[in-house]
Amino acid sequence: MLNPDRFFDTDPSIKNIARDLYSEVKDLPIISPHGHTDPKWFADNTPFSNATDLIIISDHYIFRLLYSQGISMESIGIPSIDGTRVEQDKFKIWRIFSKNYYLFSGTPTGIWLEYIFKNIFNIEKDLNQDSSKKIYECINDKLKSKEFLPRSLYEKFNIEVLSTTDNPSDKLVSHKKINESSWDARIIPCFRPDSIINISDDQWINSIKKLESVVGYSIDSFSKYIEAIEERRSYFKEMGATSTDIGIVNPFTFELSNNEIESIFSKALAIKSSLNDSKLFTAHMLMEMARMSVEDGLVMQIHGGSYRNYNKQIYSKFGRDKGADIPLRTEYTNNLHQLLNKYGNDTNFKLIIFTLDESTYSRELAPLAGHFPSLKLGPAWWFHDSIEGMKRYRELTTETASIYNTVGFNDDARNLLSIPARHDLYRRINSNYLARLVATYRMDKAEAKRVNHALGYSLAKENYNL
Amino acid sequence: MLNPDRFFDTDPSIKNIARDLYSEVKDLPIISPHGHTDPKWFADNTPFSNATDLIIISDHYIFRLLYSQGISMESIGIPSIDGTRVEQDKFKIWRIFSKNYYLFSGTPTGIWLEYIFKNIFNIEKDLNQDSSKKIYECINDKLKSKEFLPRSLYEKFNIEVLSTTDNPSDKLVSHKKINESSWDARIIPCFRPDSIINISDDQWINSIKKLESVVGYSIDSFSKYIEAIEERRSYFKEMGATSTDIGIVNPFTFELSNNEIESIFSKALAIKSSLNDSKLFTAHMLMEMARMSVEDGLVMQIHGGSYRNYNKQIYSKFGRDKGADIPLRTEYTNNLHQLLNKYGNDTNFKLIIFTLDESTYSRELAPLAGHFPSLKLGPAWWFHDSIEGMKRYRELTTETASIYNTVGFNDDARNLLSIPARHDLYRRINSNYLARLVATYRMDKAEAKRVNHALGYSLAKENYNL
Amino acid sequence: MLNPDRFFDTDPSIKNIARDLYSEVKDLPIISPHGHTDPKWFADNTPFSNATDLIIISDHYIFRLLYSQGISMESIGIPSIDGTRVEQDKFKIWRIFSKNYYLFSGTPTGIWLEYIFKNIFNIEKDLNQDSSKKIYECINDKLKSKEFLPRSLYEKFNIEVLSTTDNPSDKLVSHKKINESSWDARIIPCFRPDSIINISDDQWINSIKKLESVVGYSIDSFSKYIEAIEERRSYFKEMGATSTDIGIVNPFTFELSNNEIESIFSKALAIKSSLNDSKLFTAHMLMEMARMSVEDGLVMQIHGGSYRNYNKQIYSKFGRDKGADIPLRTEYTNNLHQLLNKYGNDTNFKLIIFTLDESTYSRELAPLAGHFPSLKLGPAWWFHDSIEGMKRYRELTTETASIYNTVGFNDDARNLLSIPARHDLYRRINSNYLARLVATYRMDKAEAKRVNHALGYSLAKENYNL
């Protein structure tokens, strides 16, 4: 029901090549090296509860836009953390969503949802107020069926490997359970130490306590802290991890002396550290994470430039990841100087950078990736994981960095159902981008086919050591 | 004589849809919620003097480009403020303009001028040195006719509502005269307090004196100052205003204590304030303006990021608004944090942001507008109110903010004749943008029609409380 | 063998106009007002040694991308400056290049190379591992022939004037030799004082010593230093120079008092200057260079925003210009304020600005160039001298600055063979850009032809006083 030529250029001389290129990649297995699905789904393999929880309440892309149009978080059932009562009638929530579904027209969320409704649930009707109930029931019915169990979906979607994102203190019981089961799937963790790296976060002390409890010793010095991190990385690796990931506001890298870093760590434990201490601590930890990656071979990812929990009212009522993270201008050339000068020439080190500041694509990131052997560019991220965003990404990076210094796709999905939708959109946009290069004599067709396969499959596999 | 398909994609599968979409919006009434026309024109309804004054001398878009090519301001009759003699022969000026008219080829000014010449004056010839005299005379003749009187033009252009931009101390006599006349038109003021908010401006004291004289009491404290502003806002509202507007360099928002703000105000009155005082004063006043908007319901606009009167030589000789305002890099995420955290979740508050820094569209403004219920994005502004500028604006904002968090069009015109030209261009670019979405299966045609109508008419009306 | 319609839009209504426009400019003489070819080639007119030295080893665009993919600089024969042994077998290096030639697909370097192979050397085969040897031998054979001598190539390429870039202490013996020879060509120097302007460079003292030796007196004060610079500019002018060029990180301009600048100069000579001194010294020297240009009529160029020798490991082993210069965010509006206010209104002064920060095109540079009579925009530079880069440049500057405030093309080439390749690409992209304007009724065809000729020939000639 979705048009087979959707998102391709209308010009037939491009469209025909795009079709041809797409046909060769559309059924490739999915490599998903970075995302936020819950490993428990696959460990337990119990049905998803209902359309509202699965599609609306778990997805900040959806409720942020509803909220921006004056629809309260309470009315669409976003769970509060302060005891505020929120709507519990799941269908009532679904109806609000249906009525406002037109808001997503022209957005990537709208495209993913269409794929989910039409291609995964085989629903013919368009979602609106009239069809709301019928579609809600149809989805809920299917969710109860065997073919919509998490493991069935993983298989149906032809996923070859799926990485989750996990706290350093996470015991990874679900990953372990999956590994030890007879189910033949590759669901791996990714080491994300944000909670223990940001000493200005009011939860930092708690995060250190959790880390202490999982390693089983007291973390009263920076050297103990590093020991604990190395231990956890090693455990993550054992559980299948091939990468780490850090989310920071500013990618400033700077190495402190032992005395300096121990002193800041002590102040942090005593809740006496300053904002500048915090900045230096993170800068030093980026250097440490790079060093550890050189040593243990885990790929290092940096997701920078997001002001998390910008809206304090939403944060105090509903907590993190509620659509209120706002990008900031981000600088890479000066900030990454120490890290790249110490580790960037090491061909065994792999660093993947993501950005929310598109002005850095052509100015800083493509030139850096087009020089340093260790540095690769992550795909267009978050708000920019969209048709225009991916187009800009390629147009702004290819000519300077070459396609081969980019790493293929990360779906970054929270909603399992959106994974094939996102990969399909990505593969379409690549196919069309390459078709335009072919049609204007900028790339020959055989090379375009090789590149398209690399983008859709092998680059992600290679760059994430999968 | 202008091609009916101008500015549409050449590809017929897009062009045909664009044509269709455009046909449904081209005759919609014009909502003009922000601009710089002179209410006196409509109050007095006397003829415009001549082509040169109307088209060249009043329009900084035109003389800045002539000046950039080495044509002196004196030679094209820009009135000096320091007694410098400038050219008085209006036709001589027109001839210079005609000879250099090719400079505007490919610019939005060129497009507006073509519309004015061909569609409003029905001139068949192209403007150049040869046709200069004939066209000059033709325009001057028409300007004397009844159908070219300001009120006739307002009606001919099918304007439903037109907002001017006015100083807080302006008594709005023209607005009053129009309101009290039998002429059935809606010409409303907009409260723009720049002159009284920027304490580092050497005219600030004079502006406060003017404000004192209009409110009739001494403004010797910050609280009196606020009282006066509230009074004036109330008067503007009575005269039909539905919005305020602030032009600032940096949209930094920060609330000071009563003592702090009173102290800065005293220093400013004594002409002893520092640049930092000025920065803090403006930051506090943005908070105050937001508070007042929450209270009185006037929509708040911020036009940020312009370094006004950058060229001191031009400023001292010719004064303000002489084509020498230059944009600056502008930051919104951190700067608006206090304002959005205090008022941004209030669904009764409406804040409309404009920018000259296009790198903020996708990085800061679209994510903010796609979350906060009170925040909407103003259209592509000033230098970016152009074909490519509008295209970039939509491509960089729609996917993250959705079209429904933008506010339709502001023509921002100084030249009355350019109003229909600008709205026509805007409607064409929207129609073509949406046609591309339809042709590539990103939006269905029925929704594109609804969106196009909203963009061309209803969004401006709703968002400006009109 | 290269498609005659390459790089044009696929849509016939644009392509046909592009073809037509291109046909009128493709054979225009080449004006090359800024580049890095070696005047010695033309003075001596001896054959180029071999394909590897000519095409790979001298071109940082090529080896940076090879290096980014893990190929060591040593293995491709980049000469070391620290005694490190590097590969000497030129064919072995050529083979590595051939094997990795696919990396350049979709990059401007790839397009230039294709032009060189197919159009200059008439090689039919595509370069890859299999054809590597044959192509290597074919090129080497041709390089020995008379028609591939530097002077023959200059003539074959139809170059009308070619500017090199030269150190202030360079005696310009090659330029002199050419001028004095019977060969009728115009190869002129450009005064580039970077080495003597950056007092924080560890080679600064040496550069001053070289300058002393060429002027023949001691430079022990700032006034002597300025005297020496003025003398050298005058000599460069005598040797045919019409322009100067400065490469700086930040285009900050600021005038110091005589005492202040003399004091910094003394500190610099005593190797006691601070980073802030260095910043102020450069800022003052930009003002001085502008003053001198006003006086001697040399066009002033500023190439800003590159962090030179970012990778210390590469710098210490291989020296400068090794593909490790990385762009930085750059600010123009505030930084150029003093310079433009002092000299920007002078219609005898010509300042050409280049940027690596594309976010400044529409925000700062186009508005500045669209106002100040002395300021013009250099073409899309370095990483942005590419198909998409040139497209962005025009789309982001034309509507605000008009095409007539840009200066035509600079090929900036180090490789002589790439000069016609680069001009051809530039002319194609212009033709296509203008064809799109014509096809969408934004420019009439006669004007597009005039503009295309200006862009391809006369603007460079006029703006560089050639």
Side-chain angles (χ1 to χ4, degrees), chain C residues 32-51:
Chain C
S32 179
H34 178 77
H36 299 271
T37 51
D38 188 344
K40 208 169 174 302
W41 297 336
F42 305 105
D44 299 352
N45 203 33
T46 54
F48 290 108
S49 52
N50 61 73

Side-chain angles (χ1 to χ4, degrees), chain A residues 11 13 329 333-334 337 341 345 362-363 367 370-373 395-396 399-400 404-405 440-443, chain C residues 3 7-8 10-11 64 67-69 105 108 307 310-312 323 327-329 357-358 383 386-388 392:
Chain A
D11 187 314
S13 64
R329 194 156 71 204
T333 304
N334 281 320
H337 189 253
N341 268 274
N345 292 295
S362 71
R363 186 178 60 219
H371 169 68
F372 282 101
E395 289 177 356
L396 287 158
E399 295 179 316
T400 292
Y404 293 98
N405 283 313
T440 54
Y441 310 99
R442 294 162 66 180
M443 188 178 277
Chain C
N3 192 291
F7 320 135
F8 296 156
T10 49
D11 188 313
R64 63 182 283 283
Y67 184 70
S68 79
Q69 285 283 306
S105 192
Y307 190 142
Y310 182 89
N311 188 335
K312 298 306 159 211
L328 284 161
R329 193 155 70 203
D357 183 347
E358 294 179 297
F383 301 111
S386 65
I387 292 179
E388 301 297 343
R392 285 193 295 272

Side-chain angles (χ1 to χ4, degrees), chain C residues 237-267:
Chain C
K237 210 175 150 181
E238 219 174 281
M239 288 297 107
T242 68
S243 70
T244 69
D245 183 26
I246 309 185
I248 32 115
V249 176
N250 222 19
F252 176 51
T253 62
F254 190 77
E255 201 157 24
L256 298 169
S257 70
N258 275 345
N259 284 350
E260 287 166 330
I261 189 71
E262 287 287 3
S263 151
I264 290 178
F265 192 79
S266 298
K267 279 197 273 179

Side-chain angles (χ1 to χ4, degrees), chain A residues 393-404:
Chain A
Y393 173 84
R394 288 288 163 215
E395 289 177 356
L396 287 158
T397 64
T398 302
E399 295 179 316
T400 292
S402 133
I403 284 173
Y404 293 98

Side-chain angles (χ1 to χ4, degrees), chain A residues 9 11 13-14 329-338 340-342 344-345 347 357 359 362-364 366-376 391-392 394-396 398-405 433 436-437 439-444 447 450-451, chain C residues 3 5-12 15 63-71 73 102-109 111 126 307 309-314 322-330 356-359 363 383-392:
Chain A
D9 265 32
D11 187 314
S13 64
I14 296 175
R329 194 156 71 204
T330 312
E331 205 279 342
Y332 295 93
T333 304
N334 281 320
N335 280 327
L336 292 176
H337 189 253
Q338 273 213 8
L340 289 173
N341 268 274
K342 187 150 184 184
N345 292 295
T347 51
D357 183 347
S359 76
S362 71
R363 186 178 60 219
E364 301 170 41
L368 286 168
H371 169 68
F372 282 101
S374 66
L375 183 66
K376 304 286 173 231
K391 188 168 170 280
R392 284 193 295 272
R394 288 288 163 215
E395 289 177 356
L396 287 158
T398 302
E399 295 179 316
T400 292
S402 133
I403 284 173
Y404 293 98
N405 283 313
Y433 170 73
R436 207 173 324 124
L437 297 193
T440 54
Y441 310 99
R442 294 162 66 180
M443 188 178 277
D444 73 41
E447 174 63 12
R450 275 191 299 273
V451 168
Chain C
N3 192 291
D5 291 335
R6 63 193 183 278
F7 320 135
F8 296 156
D9 265 33
T10 49
D11 188 313
K15 188 193 286 201
F63 56 73
R64 63 182 283 283
L65 206 52
L66 296 174
Y67 184 70
S68 79
Q69 285 283 306
I71 295 162
M73 301 284 270
Y102 70 95
L103 290 174
F104 297 94
S105 192
T107 72
T109 310
I111 288 169
D126 290 329
Y307 190 142
N309 313 308
Y310 182 89
N311 188 335
K312 298 306 159 211
Q313 198 169 308
I314 293 295
K322 291 298 172 291
D325 298 341
I326 307 293
L328 284 161
R329 193 155 70 203
T330 312
L356 294 171
D357 183 347
E358 294 179 297
S359 76
R363 186 179 59 219
F383 301 111
H384 312 314
D385 179 12
S386 65
I387 292 179
E388 301 297 343
M390 288 192 263
K391 187 167 171 279
R392 285 193 295 272

Side-chain angles (χ1 to χ4, degrees), chain B residues 133-188:
Chain B
K133 185 145 199 205
K134 211 151 189 176
I135 291 179
Y136 185 69
E137 286 168 352
C138 163
I139 292 175
N140 286 350
D141 283 351
K142 295 210 172 169
L143 288 179
K144 286 175 206 141
S145 73
K146 207 185 152 214
E147 63 171 309
F148 279 83
L149 290 177
R151 291 188 180 185
S152 309
L153 290 171
Y154 179 99
E155 284 159 10
K156 185 182 172 193
F157 297 161
N158 195 18
I159 299 175
E160 186 173 313
V161 55
L162 176 70
S163 178
T164 60
T165 299
D166 309 272
N167 193 288
S169 306
D170 194 310
K171 290 184 181 156
L172 307 177
V173 288
S174 293
H175 293 89
K176 214 165 167 227
K177 192 170 165 191
I178 297 164
N179 286 348
E180 288 167 357
S181 78
S182 62
W183 185 46
D184 184 28
R186 191 170 177 197
I187 293 170
I188 61 177

Side-chain angles (χ1 to χ4, degrees), chain A residues 87-104:
Chain A
E87 184 58 58
Q88 292 302 320
D89 182 336
K90 304 292 179 183
F91 176 59
K92 214 164 156 188
I93 296 166
W94 183 262
R95 228 166 34 195
I96 293 174
F97 170 63
S98 307
K99 193 177 153 190
N100 290 282
Y101 185 62
Y102 70 94
L103 290 174
F104 298 94

Side-chain angles (χ1 to χ4, degrees), chain B residues 11 34 183 198 212 241 256 266 279 282 371:
Chain B
D11 187 314
H34 177 77
W183 185 46
N198 181 4
E212 283 179 331
L256 298 169
S266 299
K279 184 187 159 188
T282 305
H371 169 68

